[in-house]
Amino acid sequence: MTIRVLLVDDQPLLRTGFRLILEAEPDITVVGQAGDGQDAQEQTRALLPDVVLMDIRMPGVDGIEATRRIVRDGARATPAAHVPKVLVLTTFDLDEYIVEALRSGASGFLLKDVPPEELVQAIRVVAAGDAIVAPSVTRRLLDRFAARLPSAHEQPAPARVDRLTERELEVLRLIAKGMSNAEIAAKLVVSETTVKTHVGNVLTKLGLRDRVQAVVLAYETGLITPGALS
């Protein structure tokens, strides 16, 4: 299967660079480019990409609002319709809005200086329906900006963690620490298949789309707090 990608960035040189990297892969094709969020939403509707590679900081409609609109359009679509995944790009040191982008429905994020092979792999993972939660970057980002997230006292949590078993709670904590399924399996001394089952149960019980939402929810409910990720 060929993965169809839409590139969204207000810098033409960056779009060109990403395009050269991606089109060198036999299973990826760039179907379009956009320089702002409004154009991204319109091209997503017209071109039906599998993955939208989305910059955050752009003139006019920024990447956060564009992500929100694209995810909203997908939610309103019929079950048979094509629903794209949004993979957000950030410079990390400048973008303090990445958590909001994730909460808006992005399937993950990457740094703009990501090695080409990691960019390609991330697109494949997201296209397959999984989420990219880069462990080290996720920990640093959420520790830095978790104070900006609404607390459980400020608004109702999107789901109640008391629906989970003790083992599922443990798995959720490890997901929030940025661990992969293989790392969780090693930590708990169980098979990776067992971990996948637990992860699926966690997402289903809490009404979450993917691991990214699980990380944010763990912060919102106080299950994980800044500085508690060792």
Side-chain angles (χ1 to χ4, degrees), residues 155-166:
Q155 67 176 33
R160 295 180 56 82
V161 295
D162 57 11
R163 298 175 184 174
L164 305 180
T165 65
E166 284 300 318

Side-chain angles (χ1 to χ4, degrees), residues 94-171:
L94 297 177
D95 295 327
E96 299 189 1
Y97 307 106
I98 187 66
V99 172
E100 185 61 29
L102 295 178
R103 296 178 68 197
S104 296
S107 292
F109 65 89
L110 294 173
L111 300 184
K112 280 193 174 181
D113 61 356
V114 63
E117 62 273 14
E118 291 186 21
L119 171 65
V120 170
Q121 181 59 21
I123 288 173
R124 289 175 178 143
V125 169
V126 169
D130 206 342
I132 290 296
V133 184
S136 61
V137 180
T138 299
R139 286 195 288 266
R140 291 169 59 196
L141 265 173
L142 291 179
D143 270 355
R144 182 174 177 181
F145 302 121
R148 300 171 183 265
L149 288 168
S151 69
H153 300 293
E154 292 173 343
Q155 67 176 33
R160 295 180 56 82
V161 295
D162 57 11
R163 298 175 184 174
L164 305 180
T165 65
E166 284 300 318
R167 177 45 63 95
E168 289 165 353
L169 270 174
E170 190 173 13
V171 169

Side-chain angles (χ1 to χ4, degrees), residues 50-54 63 66-67 70-71 84-88 105-108 126:
D50 300 301
V51 177
V52 179
L53 198 61
M54 179 78 73
T67 296
I70 289 170
V71 172
K85 305 293 184 180
V86 180
L87 186 56
V88 173
S107 292
V126 169

